[in-house]
């Protein structure tokens, strides 16, 4: 199984590849993301085999080795093999949202929230290449015609005119679920009506301006991730400048949204030279949205309520993953019926989420045992 790298070895309390068990936690890179679910799943299957559980359906356990970099060699190859064998899947359960034991503050305080991903955003990258007046850096043009001047105008314009904010499924159902679980009557009232106009638009705009993950759930995002120039020398004005833009599409976004969006900015800046767009090979639309009233969701919900809601109330809430999972490779095999949930208790207030991909990643032994209980129950429900 792959994990993300450890970049600051000295900052860890325990060596990140020791797997040491101390103070009630298993420490190490991957402890939360996602070795805990891999081992919990394997423990659950082992337990069921030992109990001589006889499944009525076939279960496939699929572990990719390159999930963090897109799953192009792992999950993609596994899916291709299953397809070649003519396998059709009832549904897929992959990693995804956690069980937030401290709720979703400030909206939900007294109820734990199990976030079950019913969709994930798409991934589209486009390079914009701009020509401009080059030459010796001692004689720069003063009319804004340099390639880098054009590029900086483009970046500024994009920051000032981001793609529109909108509340689409499953963020709609997420907000309704959060409203239902909220202890605050005002939030309860507002979120129960979040599908109605004009509240939906006001709410979308408000959420889009918030720091953190919620802003990305209500729009197709765009991020400039690299800038290059050609030629590249300290005393030469480059005649070409390009930027790499990464878009994360909302469900339902048009396929050519990225190109149309970028072209709208370039239209007004043609007098200084040519511009062109290059769409990258990795092109993924957002996934289908798995309905909350599907069999898959009902099974996951039941297993959560029976195994993870021991000493606390749990609200099971669908949501949109802003990142990607390996499950995208199985979309054609399962008709898009996919849920993304890691049955692992995390406390956001205590900083558990920051440890994922961060320093001092760890999982409590109690949360690990609960994850085994979840999978054991889930599999016995789903395979019966
Ligand atoms: Zn990860």
């Amino acid at each position: 199984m792959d994990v993300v790298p450890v970049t600051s070895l000295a900052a860890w309390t325990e060596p990140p590849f020791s797997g040491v068990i101390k103070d009630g936690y298993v420490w190490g890179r991957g402890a939360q993301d996602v070795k805990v679910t891999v081992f919990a799943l394997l423990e659950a299957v082992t337990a069921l085999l030992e109990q001589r559980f006889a499944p009525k359906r076939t279960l496939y356990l699929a572990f990719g080795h390159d999930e963090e970099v897109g799953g192009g060699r792992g999950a993609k190859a596994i899916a291709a093999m299953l397809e070649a064998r003519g396998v059709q899947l009832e549904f897929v359960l992959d990693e995804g949202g956690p069980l937030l034991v401290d709720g979703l503050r400030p909206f939900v305080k007294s109820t734990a929230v199990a976030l079950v991903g019913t969709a994930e955003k798409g991934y589209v990258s486009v390079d914009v290449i701009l020509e401009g007046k080059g030459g010796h850096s001692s004689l720069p043009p003063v009319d804004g015609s340099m390639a880098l001047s054009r590029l900086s105008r483009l970046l500024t314009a994009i920051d000032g005119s981001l793609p529109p904010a909108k509340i689409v499924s499953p963020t709609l159902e997420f907000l309704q679920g959060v409203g239902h679980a909220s202890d605050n009557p005002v939030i309860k009232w507002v979120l129960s009506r979040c599908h109605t106009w004009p509240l939906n638009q006001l709410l979308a705009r408000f959420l889009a301006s918030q720091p953190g993950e919620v802003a990305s759930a209500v729009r197709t995002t765009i991020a400039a991730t690299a800038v290059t120039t050609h030629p590249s020398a300290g005393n030469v004005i480059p005649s070409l400048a390009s930027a790499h833009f990464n878009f994360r599409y909302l469900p339902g976004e048009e396929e050519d949204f990225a190109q149309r969006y970028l072209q709208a900015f370039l239209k007004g800046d043609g007098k200084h030279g040519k511009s062109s767009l290059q769409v990258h090979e990795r092109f993924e639309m957002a996934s289908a949205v798995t309905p909350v009233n599907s069999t898959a969701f009902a099974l996951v919900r039941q297993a959560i309520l029976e195994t993870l809601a021991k000493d606390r109330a749990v609200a099971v809430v669908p949501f949109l993953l802003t990142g990607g999972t390996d499950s995208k490779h199985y979309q054609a095999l399962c008709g898009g019926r996919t849920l993304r949930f890691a049955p692992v208790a995390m406390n956001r207030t205590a900083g558990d989420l920051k440890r994922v991909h961060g320093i001092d990643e760890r999982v409590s032994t109690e949360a690990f045992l609960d994850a085994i209980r979840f999978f054991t129950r889930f599999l016995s429900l789903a395979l019966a």
Side-chain angles (χ1 to χ4, degrees), residues 35-370:
K35 296 197 175 187
V36 61
T37 48
V38 173
F39 283 101
L41 188 51
L42 293 173
E43 290 287 355
V45 170
T46 304
L48 288 170
L49 288 171
E50 283 169 356
Q51 293 162 22
R52 307 211 173 274
F53 171 76
K56 292 210 179 88
R57 312 186 68 119
T58 307
L59 168 70
Y60 290 92
L61 302 175
F63 302 122
H65 65 288
D66 59 348
E67 182 277 330
E68 295 287 1
V69 291
R73 290 164 190 236
K76 195 177 176 181
I78 298 170
M81 175 177 274
L82 291 175
E83 196 188 348
R85 292 180 182 175
V87 170
Q88 284 187 327
L89 303 171
E90 178 61 33
F91 65 86
V92 168
L93 176 64
D94 200 353
E95 62 164 323
L99 171 72
L100 295 170
V101 287
D102 57 328
L104 265 171
R105 280 146 205 265
F107 307 112
V108 182
K109 286 182 192 150
S110 55
T111 308
V113 174
L115 288 175
V116 179
T118 51
E120 63 187 63
K121 291 181 94 176
Y123 184 108
V124 175
S125 285
V126 181
D127 281 343
V128 174
I129 303 122
L130 296 170
E131 292 180 9
K133 221 171 268 166
H136 200 278
S137 62
S138 62
L139 303 166
V142 293
D143 58 353
S145 60
M146 290 182 286
L148 272 174
S149 305
R150 295 186 68 198
L151 187 59
S152 48
R153 281 198 293 276
L154 173 66
L155 293 170
T156 307
I158 286 172
D159 272 345
S161 182
L162 295 171
K166 52 188 170 184
I167 296 173
V168 298
S169 195
T171 298
L172 179 67
E173 290 79 11
F174 165 77
L175 293 172
Q176 287 167 338
V178 168
H180 193 74
S182 181
D183 329 69
N184 180 323
V186 179
I187 289 168
K188 228 177 182 32
W189 187 88
V190 170
L191 294 185
S192 69
R193 288 157 183 80
C194 68
H195 55 290
T196 58
W197 187 88
L199 198 55
N200 56 353
Q201 297 198 349
L202 294 171
L203 200 58
R205 251 175 273 165
F206 168 74
L207 294 173
S209 66
Q210 295 302 298
E213 212 179 354
V214 64
S216 299
V218 292
R219 71 155 45 102
T220 289
T221 56
I222 169 171
T225 53
V227 166
T228 51
T229 57
H230 180 84
S232 190
N235 62 346
V236 178
I237 299 167
S239 53
L240 280 181
S242 69
H244 183 98
F245 291 101
N246 182 236
F247 291 79
R248 301 297 178 104
Y249 278 20
L250 278 181
E253 198 64 86
E254 303 259 338
E255 210 172 304
D256 62 348
F257 173 82
Q259 293 111 291
R260 284 191 294 113
Y261 173 80
L262 289 168
Q263 250 143 12
F265 292 104
L266 298 170
K267 238 190 284 167
D269 196 40
K271 65 173 190 267
H272 294 306
K274 281 189 217 154
S275 58
S276 57
L277 302 182
Q278 216 169 343
V279 182
H280 279 248
E281 199 181 316
R282 181 177 168 193
F283 186 98
E284 293 151 13
M285 298 292 287
S287 74
V289 182
T290 305
V292 179
N293 62 7
S294 59
T295 309
F297 197 90
L299 289 170
V300 169
R301 188 202 327 247
Q302 188 183 343
I304 290 171
L305 295 177
E306 287 182 10
T307 59
L308 302 178
K310 295 173 301 184
D311 46 1
R312 61 202 158 211
V314 176
V316 181
V317 177
F319 85 117
L320 171 68
L321 262 83
T322 47
T325 70
D326 261 352
S327 72
K328 59 181 167 280
H329 297 292
Y330 301 97
Q331 291 294 288
L333 291 176
C334 66
R337 293 177 298 274
T338 304
L339 294 173
R340 303 156 186 85
F341 177 64
V344 184
M346 293 204 200
N347 188 321
R348 211 160 61 118
T349 319
D352 283 354
L353 293 188
K354 284 188 206 131
R355 298 171 186 272
V356 177
H357 287 209
I359 294 158
D360 280 348
E361 189 174 350
R362 65 180 191 184
V363 66
S364 77
T365 47
E366 194 195 322
F368 176 45
L369 292 172
D370 280 343

